[in-house]
mmCIF file of all heavy atoms in Angstrom:
data_model
loop_
_atom_site.group_PDB
_atom_site.id
_atom_site.type_symbol
_atom_site.label_atom_id
_atom_site.label_comp_id
_atom_site.label_asym_id
_atom_site.label_seq_id
_atom_site.Cartn_x
_atom_site.Cartn_y
_atom_site.Cartn_z
ATOM 1 N N TYR A 29 61.981 57.495 56.988
ATOM 2 C CA TYR A 29 62.904 58.076 56.003
ATOM 3 C C TYR A 29 63.649 59.228 56.671
ATOM 4 O O TYR A 29 63.054 59.976 57.441
ATOM 5 C CB TYR A 29 62.160 58.717 54.818
ATOM 6 C CG TYR A 29 61.395 57.810 53.903
ATOM 7 C CD1 TYR A 29 60.620 58.377 52.877
ATOM 8 C CD2 TYR A 29 61.420 56.427 54.008
ATOM 9 C CE1 TYR A 29 59.897 57.589 51.993
ATOM 10 C CE2 TYR A 29 60.694 55.634 53.131
ATOM 11 C CZ TYR A 29 59.928 56.218 52.135
ATOM 12 O OH TYR A 29 59.208 55.440 51.274
ATOM 13 N N ARG A 30 64.922 59.391 56.272
ATOM 14 C CA ARG A 30 65.598 60.644 56.637
ATOM 15 C C ARG A 30 65.395 61.621 55.479
ATOM 16 O O ARG A 30 65.585 61.260 54.314
ATOM 17 C CB ARG A 30 67.087 60.414 56.847
ATOM 18 C CG ARG A 30 67.808 61.740 57.095
ATOM 19 C CD ARG A 30 69.203 61.561 57.620
ATOM 20 N NE ARG A 30 69.960 60.615 56.842
ATOM 21 C CZ ARG A 30 70.793 59.711 57.370
ATOM 22 N NH1 ARG A 30 70.949 59.643 58.670
ATOM 23 N NH2 ARG A 30 71.458 58.888 56.600
ATOM 24 N N ILE A 31 64.976 62.834 55.813
ATOM 25 C CA ILE A 31 64.762 63.864 54.790
ATOM 26 C C ILE A 31 65.832 64.936 54.965
ATOM 27 O O ILE A 31 65.899 65.602 56.003
ATOM 28 C CB ILE A 31 63.357 64.500 54.935
ATOM 29 C CG1 ILE A 31 62.256 63.425 54.837
ATOM 30 C CG2 ILE A 31 63.154 65.606 53.892
ATOM 31 C CD1 ILE A 31 62.260 62.595 53.557
ATOM 32 N N VAL A 32 66.670 65.066 53.944
ATOM 33 C CA VAL A 32 67.723 66.080 53.984
ATOM 34 C C VAL A 32 67.342 67.209 53.029
ATOM 35 O O VAL A 32 67.265 67.017 51.819
ATOM 36 C CB VAL A 32 69.090 65.485 53.572
ATOM 37 C CG1 VAL A 32 70.175 66.551 53.672
ATOM 38 C CG2 VAL A 32 69.429 64.273 54.427
ATOM 39 N N ASN A 33 67.074 68.354 53.620
ATOM 40 C CA ASN A 33 66.692 69.533 52.834
ATOM 41 C C ASN A 33 67.961 70.297 52.455
ATOM 42 O O ASN A 33 68.639 70.843 53.317
ATOM 43 C CB ASN A 33 65.755 70.391 53.700
ATOM 44 C CG ASN A 33 65.460 71.746 53.078
ATOM 45 O OD1 ASN A 33 65.743 71.984 51.904
ATOM 46 N ND2 ASN A 33 64.878 72.638 53.874
ATOM 47 N N LEU A 34 68.258 70.308 51.155
ATOM 48 C CA LEU A 34 69.467 71.010 50.690
ATOM 49 C C LEU A 34 69.043 72.261 49.942
ATOM 50 O O LEU A 34 68.300 72.192 48.955
ATOM 51 C CB LEU A 34 70.278 70.082 49.792
ATOM 52 C CG LEU A 34 71.606 70.661 49.271
ATOM 53 C CD1 LEU A 34 72.670 69.567 49.211
ATOM 54 C CD2 LEU A 34 71.450 71.303 47.899
ATOM 55 N N ASP A 35 69.505 73.407 50.438
ATOM 56 C CA ASP A 35 69.037 74.675 49.869
ATOM 57 C C ASP A 35 70.096 75.726 50.160
ATOM 58 O O ASP A 35 70.652 75.754 51.254
ATOM 59 C CB ASP A 35 67.693 75.047 50.526
ATOM 60 C CG ASP A 35 66.936 76.120 49.762
ATOM 61 O OD1 ASP A 35 67.495 77.218 49.597
ATOM 62 O OD2 ASP A 35 65.797 75.866 49.335
ATOM 63 N N CYS A 36 70.381 76.599 49.203
ATOM 64 C CA CYS A 36 71.405 77.625 49.467
ATOM 65 C C CYS A 36 70.779 78.922 49.971
ATOM 66 O O CYS A 36 71.483 79.897 50.204
ATOM 67 C CB CYS A 36 72.266 77.870 48.238
ATOM 68 S SG CYS A 36 71.428 78.766 46.943
ATOM 69 N N LEU A 37 69.462 78.928 50.155
ATOM 70 C CA LEU A 37 68.750 80.085 50.724
ATOM 71 C C LEU A 37 68.974 81.358 49.906
ATOM 72 O O LEU A 37 69.580 82.319 50.384
ATOM 73 C CB LEU A 37 69.113 80.297 52.202
ATOM 74 C CG LEU A 37 68.858 79.112 53.132
ATOM 75 C CD1 LEU A 37 69.319 79.423 54.551
ATOM 76 C CD2 LEU A 37 67.380 78.725 53.132
ATOM 77 N N THR A 38 68.497 81.341 48.668
ATOM 78 C CA THR A 38 68.447 82.569 47.879
ATOM 79 C C THR A 38 67.342 83.443 48.468
ATOM 80 O O THR A 38 66.723 83.079 49.477
ATOM 81 C CB THR A 38 68.074 82.272 46.409
ATOM 82 O OG1 THR A 38 66.724 81.781 46.376
ATOM 83 C CG2 THR A 38 69.018 81.252 45.780
ATOM 84 N N TYR A 39 67.016 84.547 47.793
ATOM 85 C CA TYR A 39 65.913 85.397 48.269
ATOM 86 C C TYR A 39 64.629 84.577 48.444
ATOM 87 O O TYR A 39 63.762 84.925 49.245
ATOM 88 C CB TYR A 39 65.663 86.537 47.259
ATOM 89 C CG TYR A 39 64.918 86.050 46.035
ATOM 90 C CD1 TYR A 39 63.540 86.180 45.930
ATOM 91 C CD2 TYR A 39 65.596 85.386 45.014
ATOM 92 C CE1 TYR A 39 62.852 85.677 44.838
ATOM 93 C CE2 TYR A 39 64.910 84.875 43.918
ATOM 94 C CZ TYR A 39 63.547 85.026 43.843
ATOM 95 O OH TYR A 39 62.861 84.500 42.769
ATOM 96 N N ALA A 40 64.487 83.473 47.697
ATOM 97 C CA ALA A 40 63.234 82.696 47.718
ATOM 98 C C ALA A 40 63.226 81.596 48.766
ATOM 99 O O ALA A 40 62.196 80.978 49.017
ATOM 100 C CB ALA A 40 62.983 82.083 46.337
ATOM 101 N N GLY A 41 64.363 81.339 49.383
ATOM 102 C CA GLY A 41 64.434 80.267 50.375
ATOM 103 C C GLY A 41 64.255 80.841 51.765
ATOM 104 O O GLY A 41 64.919 81.806 52.139
ATOM 105 N N ASN A 42 63.396 80.244 52.548
ATOM 106 C CA ASN A 42 63.062 80.797 53.850
ATOM 107 C C ASN A 42 62.789 79.665 54.833
ATOM 108 O O ASN A 42 61.776 78.971 54.730
ATOM 109 C CB ASN A 42 61.816 81.682 53.689
ATOM 110 C CG ASN A 42 61.490 82.454 54.938
ATOM 111 O OD1 ASN A 42 62.087 82.233 55.993
ATOM 112 N ND2 ASN A 42 60.533 83.364 54.826
ATOM 113 N N LEU A 43 63.675 79.490 55.818
ATOM 114 C CA LEU A 43 63.505 78.373 56.758
ATOM 115 C C LEU A 43 62.318 78.573 57.698
ATOM 116 O O LEU A 43 61.877 77.621 58.343
ATOM 117 C CB LEU A 43 64.800 78.150 57.553
ATOM 118 C CG LEU A 43 65.952 77.587 56.712
ATOM 119 C CD1 LEU A 43 67.235 77.502 57.535
ATOM 120 C CD2 LEU A 43 65.615 76.217 56.142
ATOM 121 N N GLU A 44 61.795 79.806 57.756
ATOM 122 C CA GLU A 44 60.538 80.065 58.484
ATOM 123 C C GLU A 44 59.461 79.093 58.013
ATOM 124 O O GLU A 44 58.598 78.693 58.791
ATOM 125 C CB GLU A 44 60.002 81.446 58.125
ATOM 126 C CG GLU A 44 60.353 82.660 58.969
ATOM 127 C CD GLU A 44 59.917 82.581 60.405
ATOM 128 O OE1 GLU A 44 58.721 82.449 60.698
ATOM 129 O OE2 GLU A 44 60.829 82.661 61.232
ATOM 130 N N ASN A 45 59.507 78.777 56.711
ATOM 131 C CA ASN A 45 58.482 77.908 56.110
ATOM 132 C C ASN A 45 58.425 76.546 56.794
ATOM 133 O O ASN A 45 57.429 75.834 56.667
ATOM 134 C CB ASN A 45 58.768 77.679 54.614
ATOM 135 C CG ASN A 45 58.730 78.970 53.808
ATOM 136 O OD1 ASN A 45 58.302 79.991 54.315
ATOM 137 N ND2 ASN A 45 59.170 78.912 52.550
ATOM 138 N N LEU A 46 59.513 76.158 57.478
ATOM 139 C CA LEU A 46 59.606 74.799 58.023
ATOM 140 C C LEU A 46 59.768 74.790 59.536
ATOM 141 O O LEU A 46 60.177 73.790 60.111
ATOM 142 C CB LEU A 46 60.789 74.067 57.365
ATOM 143 C CG LEU A 46 60.583 73.750 55.888
ATOM 144 C CD1 LEU A 46 61.889 73.358 55.232
ATOM 145 C CD2 LEU A 46 59.537 72.649 55.723
ATOM 146 N N LYS A 47 59.424 75.906 60.160
ATOM 147 C CA LYS A 47 59.628 76.049 61.610
ATOM 148 C C LYS A 47 58.986 74.915 62.391
ATOM 149 O O LYS A 47 59.541 74.410 63.357
ATOM 150 C CB LYS A 47 59.038 77.376 62.079
ATOM 151 C CG LYS A 47 60.143 78.338 62.433
ATOM 152 C CD LYS A 47 59.676 79.464 63.250
ATOM 153 C CE LYS A 47 60.822 79.770 64.198
ATOM 154 N NZ LYS A 47 60.907 81.076 64.611
ATOM 155 N N ASP A 48 57.794 74.490 61.951
ATOM 156 C CA ASP A 48 57.033 73.480 62.690
ATOM 157 C C ASP A 48 57.691 72.101 62.662
ATOM 158 O O ASP A 48 57.399 71.271 63.516
ATOM 159 C CB ASP A 48 55.594 73.396 62.146
ATOM 160 C CG ASP A 48 55.547 73.132 60.656
ATOM 161 O OD1 ASP A 48 56.410 73.668 59.923
ATOM 162 O OD2 ASP A 48 54.659 72.376 60.208
ATOM 163 N N ILE A 49 58.563 71.839 61.695
ATOM 164 C CA ILE A 49 59.145 70.484 61.636
ATOM 165 C C ILE A 49 60.667 70.479 61.818
ATOM 166 O O ILE A 49 61.294 69.420 61.761
ATOM 167 C CB ILE A 49 58.769 69.751 60.325
ATOM 168 C CG1 ILE A 49 59.221 70.561 59.089
ATOM 169 C CG2 ILE A 49 57.309 69.432 60.231
ATOM 170 C CD1 ILE A 49 60.331 69.893 58.365
ATOM 171 N N GLU A 50 61.272 71.656 62.051
ATOM 172 C CA GLU A 50 62.747 71.697 62.041
ATOM 173 C C GLU A 50 63.374 70.855 63.152
ATOM 174 O O GLU A 50 64.514 70.418 63.032
ATOM 175 C CB GLU A 50 63.278 73.145 62.078
ATOM 176 C CG GLU A 50 63.031 73.854 63.377
ATOM 177 C CD GLU A 50 63.441 75.338 63.350
ATOM 178 O OE1 GLU A 50 63.926 75.819 62.311
ATOM 179 O OE2 GLU A 50 63.253 75.994 64.387
ATOM 180 N N GLY A 51 62.610 70.565 64.226
ATOM 181 C CA GLY A 51 63.153 69.755 65.317
ATOM 182 C C GLY A 51 62.900 68.264 65.128
ATOM 183 O O GLY A 51 63.276 67.455 65.994
ATOM 184 N N SER A 52 62.283 67.860 64.030
ATOM 185 C CA SER A 52 61.950 66.436 63.837
ATOM 186 C C SER A 52 63.224 65.603 63.716
ATOM 187 O O SER A 52 64.197 66.028 63.099
ATOM 188 C CB SER A 52 61.116 66.244 62.566
ATOM 189 O OG SER A 52 59.981 67.061 62.612
ATOM 190 N N LYS A 53 63.168 64.394 64.290
ATOM 191 C CA LYS A 53 64.351 63.513 64.320
ATOM 192 C C LYS A 53 64.796 63.097 62.926
ATOM 193 O O LYS A 53 65.969 62.826 62.696
ATOM 194 C CB LYS A 53 63.996 62.245 65.103
ATOM 195 C CG LYS A 53 64.146 62.375 66.592
ATOM 196 C CD LYS A 53 64.295 60.964 67.197
ATOM 197 C CE LYS A 53 64.103 61.015 68.694
ATOM 198 N NZ LYS A 53 62.934 60.305 69.157
ATOM 199 N N ASN A 54 63.839 62.983 62.004
ATOM 200 C CA ASN A 54 64.182 62.477 60.669
ATOM 201 C C ASN A 54 64.433 63.603 59.672
ATOM 202 O O ASN A 54 64.368 63.398 58.462
ATOM 203 C CB ASN A 54 63.067 61.561 60.130
ATOM 204 C CG ASN A 54 61.737 62.271 59.968
ATOM 205 O OD1 ASN A 54 61.489 63.293 60.618
ATOM 206 N ND2 ASN A 54 60.881 61.743 59.117
ATOM 207 N N TYR A 55 64.729 64.820 60.183
ATOM 208 C CA TYR A 55 64.939 65.974 59.295
ATOM 209 C C TYR A 55 66.317 66.578 59.500
ATOM 210 O O TYR A 55 66.781 66.721 60.639
ATOM 211 C CB TYR A 55 63.874 67.038 59.584
ATOM 212 C CG TYR A 55 64.099 68.356 58.866
ATOM 213 C CD1 TYR A 55 63.854 68.477 57.501
ATOM 214 C CD2 TYR A 55 64.578 69.472 59.556
ATOM 215 C CE1 TYR A 55 64.077 69.682 56.839
ATOM 216 C CE2 TYR A 55 64.792 70.677 58.903
ATOM 217 C CZ TYR A 55 64.543 70.779 57.544
ATOM 218 O OH TYR A 55 64.757 71.961 56.893
ATOM 219 N N ALA A 56 66.967 66.929 58.392
ATOM 220 C CA ALA A 56 68.248 67.654 58.480
ATOM 221 C C ALA A 56 68.280 68.721 57.407
ATOM 222 O O ALA A 56 67.630 68.575 56.355
ATOM 223 C CB ALA A 56 69.406 66.680 58.281
ATOM 224 N N PHE A 57 69.016 69.789 57.685
ATOM 225 C CA PHE A 57 69.136 70.877 56.704
ATOM 226 C C PHE A 57 70.601 71.090 56.344
ATOM 227 O O PHE A 57 71.466 71.070 57.213
ATOM 228 C CB PHE A 57 68.552 72.178 57.271
ATOM 229 C CG PHE A 57 68.819 73.359 56.371
ATOM 230 C CD1 PHE A 57 68.198 73.454 55.132
ATOM 231 C CD2 PHE A 57 69.729 74.345 56.750
ATOM 232 C CE1 PHE A 57 68.470 74.526 54.276
ATOM 233 C CE2 PHE A 57 70.007 75.419 55.901
ATOM 234 C CZ PHE A 57 69.378 75.508 54.662
#
Side-chain angles (χ1 to χ4, degrees):
Y29 293 175
R30 175 167 49 220
I31 302 303
V32 182
N33 171 13
L34 182 143
D35 196 301
C36 73
L37 303 177
T38 66
Y39 77 96
N42 188 352
L43 290 175
E44 267 300 300
N45 298 349
L46 291 166
K47 252 197 145 151
D48 55 323
I49 57 111
E50 69 186 0
S52 305
K53 276 201 194 115
N54 62 337
Y55 172 74
F57 172 69

